[in-house]
């Protein structure tokens, strides 16, 4: 697909086609002048948070943390709503389409970079390609809701993992879920102060190792439990549901879960961290990321569904304990939960970056030094308040999983499946008789319909579960 842009017959002056070799050399010669010319127009958020200093390896770390997170532990549950064939096909399709769409998005970003108009944020791309109203009133708010929703979800999940450890060690303990959510939020207060996205590269390398660790542990535990005649629960692989409508809505709920699991929503911000020239670096980072995606997603999804069937819970770690009795050694359950908690903190701080960028763009001063009192004081206050609010929402709404499915339908599907192919077609203008044009158009139409139906299914599930909702519930 990276060669497709270069084959476009349209010229640069017409707004299409990839830059020529001469343009690439001109870009290299004049890049410093272009950056200096653009610097006075940059706000503090872009200047300080989205520093362009990273390599393609760092890009791979950021991508892996933003995609391969603990929500993958919900994939066995998604399989319960789809069955074997539907689950494997849906997960494979989501991985393939997201890799394709993220690659298209990186091509568009490279195109504008080589023209001397580097786009650092999703809303910048929407402003350039669709017009300023789309960036300001549609793409920007959707991305903000998706990313901040991910922070809330990670905070809640971190609290739930902490509570699982507590219950395992002290079954008669009296501490409530919201207390553990608050503890996790306090930890996040410290991580939120890390100054820039690029500064997270070492944390995200650790995150990559952690996600491989708990994925391998979850897979091994599921295989052990599923193979044990004494601890293995009875397995049933039929798709649950009282009637066809229930099963159909369950299918679209599962699609929203898988889309959220494969979702990213911050590809432009990640590519913004790459030092110039950016050409080809994002593709290498995506290859690193998707090697981890394929290994972690399919191993956990298939082993978890095989071991527990349609009894797989929303977080497969919950299946490792049956009525307070661990089905694997207690130390093993503790280790997996610790790995998960640590990686959740990395995922949360990555998805805080678009929020941090907006806050610094609003309250920061690009003419002052990044670590001057003028910028440090507003940064600490605004980021701390952001984390406190996310922690409060997570503690108040412990049923956030239902809401997260709605966010996935309204947010991740448009940002990750629909907009990249539209951006590519509008930027490079492939021939309407070409395979690329029709493939991209088909993806946009298909996932628009899927997103709409998944949103309806998520709203329906929220209404069904509403009777169990209580603020600060100890679930």
């Amino acid at each position: 697909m990276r060669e497709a842009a270069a084959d476009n017959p349209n010229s640069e002056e017409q707004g299409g086609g990839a830059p020529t070799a001469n343009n690439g050399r001109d870009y290299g010669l004049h890049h410093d002048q272009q950056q200096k010319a653009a610097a006075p127009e940059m706000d503090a958020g872009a200047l300080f948070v989205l520093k362009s200093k990273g390599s393609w390896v760092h890009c791979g770390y950021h991508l892996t943390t933003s995609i391969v997170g603990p929500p993958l532990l919900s994939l066995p549950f998604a399989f319960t709503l789809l069955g074997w064939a539907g689950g494997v096909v849906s997960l494979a399709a989501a991985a393939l389409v997201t890799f394709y769409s993220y690659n298209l998005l990186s091509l568009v970003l490279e195109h504008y970079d080589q023209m001397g108009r580097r786009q650092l944020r999703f809303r910048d791309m929407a402003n350039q390609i669709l017009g300023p109203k789309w960036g300001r009133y549609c793409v920007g708010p959707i991305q903000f809701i998706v990313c901040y929703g991910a922070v809330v979800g990670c905070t809640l999940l971190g609290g739930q993992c902490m509570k699982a450890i507590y219950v395992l060690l002290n079954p008669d303990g009296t501490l409530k879920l919201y207390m553990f959510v608050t503890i996790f939020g306090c930890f996040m207060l410290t991580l939120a102060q890390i100054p820039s996205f690029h500064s997270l590269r070492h944390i995200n390398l650790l995150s990559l190792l952690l996600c491989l660790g708990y994925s391998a542990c979850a897979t091994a535990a599921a295989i052990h439990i599923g193979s044990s005649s004494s601890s293995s629960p009875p397995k049933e692989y039929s798709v649950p549901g009282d009637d066809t409508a229930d099963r159909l809505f369950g299918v679209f709920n599962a699609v929203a879960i898988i889309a959220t699991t494969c979702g990213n929503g911050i590809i432009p911000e990640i590519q913004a961290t790459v030092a110039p020239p950016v050409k080809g670096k994002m593709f290498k980072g995506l290859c690193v990321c998707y090697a981890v995606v394929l290994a972690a997603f399919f191993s956990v999804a298939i082993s978890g569904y095989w071991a527990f069937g349609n009894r797989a819970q929303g977080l497969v770690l919950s299946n490792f304990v049956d009525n307070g009795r661990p089905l694997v050694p207690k130390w093993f359950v503790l280790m997996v939960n610790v790995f998960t908690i640590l990686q959740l903190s990395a995922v949360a701080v990555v998805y805080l970056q678009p929020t941090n960028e907006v806050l610094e763009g609003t309250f920061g001063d690009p003419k002052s030094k990044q670590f001057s009192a003028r910028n440090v004081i507003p940064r600490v206050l605004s980021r701390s308040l952001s984390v406190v609010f996310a922690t409060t929402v997570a503690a108040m709404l412990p049923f956030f999983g239902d809401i997260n499915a709605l966010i996935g339908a309204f947010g991740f599907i448009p940002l990750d499946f629909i907009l990249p192919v539209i951006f590519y077609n509008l930027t490079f203008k492939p021939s309407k008789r070409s395979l690329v044009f029709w493939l991209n158009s088909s993806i946009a139409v298909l996932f628009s319909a899927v997103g709409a139906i998944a949103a309806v299914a998520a709203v329906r599930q929220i209404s069904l579960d509403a009777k169990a909702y209580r603020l600060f519930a100890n679930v």
Side-chain angles (χ1 to χ4, degrees):
M1 208 37 249
R2 301 192 73 81
E3 288 78 15
D7 294 336
N8 177 59
N10 295 333
S11 66
E12 286 289 324
E13 289 77 15
Q14 292 172 317
T20 63
N22 286 336
N23 285 339
R25 285 193 291 272
D26 291 342
Y27 165 80
L29 292 171
H30 300 298
H31 182 267
D32 290 341
Q33 291 91 327
Q34 291 166 349
Q35 287 292 88
K36 288 177 183 178
E41 301 174 4
M42 295 178 70
D43 57 64
L47 194 61
F48 298 148
V49 178
L50 303 178
K51 288 184 175 181
S52 302
K53 293 184 176 182
S55 68
W56 68 266
V57 177
H58 301 146
C59 182
Y61 300 162
H62 299 323
L63 284 166
T64 303
T65 298
S66 65
I67 297 175
V68 192
L72 72 89
L73 298 172
S74 66
L75 288 175
F77 172 72
F79 271 43
T80 68
L81 303 174
L82 295 166
W84 274 119
V88 172
V89 169
S90 297
L91 184 56
L96 181 63
V97 173
T98 51
F99 181 87
Y100 175 78
S101 64
Y102 296 155
N103 186 39
L104 293 188
L105 209 56
S106 75
L107 283 172
V108 175
L109 288 164
E110 288 178 6
H111 172 74
Y112 283 107
D113 181 56
Q114 292 186 350
M115 292 173 63
R117 290 182 285 165
R118 186 172 185 181
Q119 309 297 326
L120 301 179
R121 298 165 285 211
F122 225 127
R123 65 180 184 273
D124 293 341
M125 294 186 74
N127 288 346
Q128 180 70 46
I129 299 169
L130 302 177
K133 290 185 178 179
W134 280 91
R136 178 176 298 176
Y137 300 112
C138 184
V139 175
I142 286 175
Q143 187 197 33
F144 183 85
I145 291 171
V146 163
C147 293
Y148 202 68
V151 175
V152 174
C154 286
T155 306
L156 173 58
L157 192 54
Q160 289 175 331
C161 290
M162 285 184 173
K163 183 189 172 187
I165 293 174
Y166 173 73
V167 170
L168 197 62
L169 297 175
N170 184 14
D172 299 322
T174 58
L175 297 183
K176 308 297 183 183
L177 174 60
Y178 68 84
M179 299 176 182
F180 295 102
V181 171
T182 303
I183 294 170
F184 187 88
C186 292
F187 179 48
M188 282 299 304
L189 274 176
T190 302
L191 291 180
Q193 308 308 325
I194 295 175
S196 69
F197 208 150
H198 179 64
S199 303
L200 298 175
R201 62 195 182 280
H202 302 304
I203 290 176
N204 288 341
L205 169 59
L206 177 61
S207 168
L208 187 155
L209 299 175
L210 286 168
C211 74
L212 287 173
Y214 68 68
S215 298
C217 289
T219 301
I223 293 173
H224 171 76
I225 295 170
S227 303
S228 172
S229 58
S230 60
S231 61
S232 178
K235 292 176 242 182
E236 175 62 52
Y237 298 111
S238 60
V239 176
D242 295 332
D243 52 35
T244 303
D246 278 346
R247 288 190 289 271
L248 186 60
F249 278 115
V251 166
F252 285 102
N253 264 332
V255 169
I257 291 170
I258 291 174
T260 303
T261 304
C262 295
N264 181 282
I266 52 174
I267 290 291
E269 286 77 6
I270 290 175
Q271 190 154 332
T273 68
V274 176
V278 300
K279 188 172 178 61
K281 292 180 179 178
M282 192 68 166
F283 181 73
K284 293 178 182 178
L286 279 169
C287 289
V288 171
C289 172
Y290 272 78
V292 180
V293 164
L294 294 176
F297 282 23
F298 282 93
S299 62
V300 171
I302 291 173
S303 64
Y305 186 50
W306 170 79
F308 306 109
N310 57 20
R311 296 176 69 252
Q313 298 187 36
L315 191 67
V316 74
L317 300 183
S318 302
N319 287 102
F320 298 168
V321 180
D322 182 26
N323 294 322
R325 180 178 65 91
L327 303 179
V328 290
K330 185 181 292 187
W331 64 264
F332 190 90
V333 178
L334 294 175
M335 180 178 68
V336 176
N337 275 285
V338 169
F339 284 177
T340 305
I341 290 167
L342 291 175
Q343 211 242 348
L344 275 167
S345 63
V347 174
V349 78
V350 162
Y351 277 100
L352 265 177
Q353 297 312 303
T355 303
N356 292 343
E357 185 271 320
V358 170
L359 291 172
E360 290 209 29
T362 303
F363 301 112
D365 179 10
K367 297 179 182 179
S368 301
K369 292 183 179 181
Q370 182 179 8
F371 298 107
S372 65
R374 166 64 183 83
N375 283 319
V376 169
I377 293 173
R379 179 189 306 135
V380 171
L381 290 176
S382 61
R383 292 187 182 192
S384 299
L385 289 174
S386 172
V387 171
V388 167
F389 184 76
T391 303
T392 303
V393 172
M396 288 177 62
L397 307 175
F399 47 82
F400 191 76
D402 285 355
I403 299 174
N404 218 25
L406 185 63
I407 291 174
F410 273 120
F412 280 113
I413 289 179
L415 292 179
D416 297 326
F417 295 86
I418 300 172
L419 284 177
V421 296
I422 292 175
F423 285 174
Y424 183 91
N425 279 1
L426 292 178
T427 298
F428 292 110
K429 298 181 174 62
S431 168
K432 292 184 179 179
R433 293 176 293 179
S434 68
L435 175 62
V436 170
F437 176 84
W438 285 106
L439 177 61
N440 291 350
S441 300
S442 299
I443 290 173
V445 172
L446 174 63
F447 282 95
S448 294
V450 169
I453 298 172
V456 173
V459 171
R460 176 178 178 272
Q461 190 62 43
I462 290 173
S463 65
L464 290 175
D465 294 342
K467 59 181 178 294
Y469 292 166
R470 289 185 297 109
L471 295 181
F472 298 101
N474 186 38
V475 295

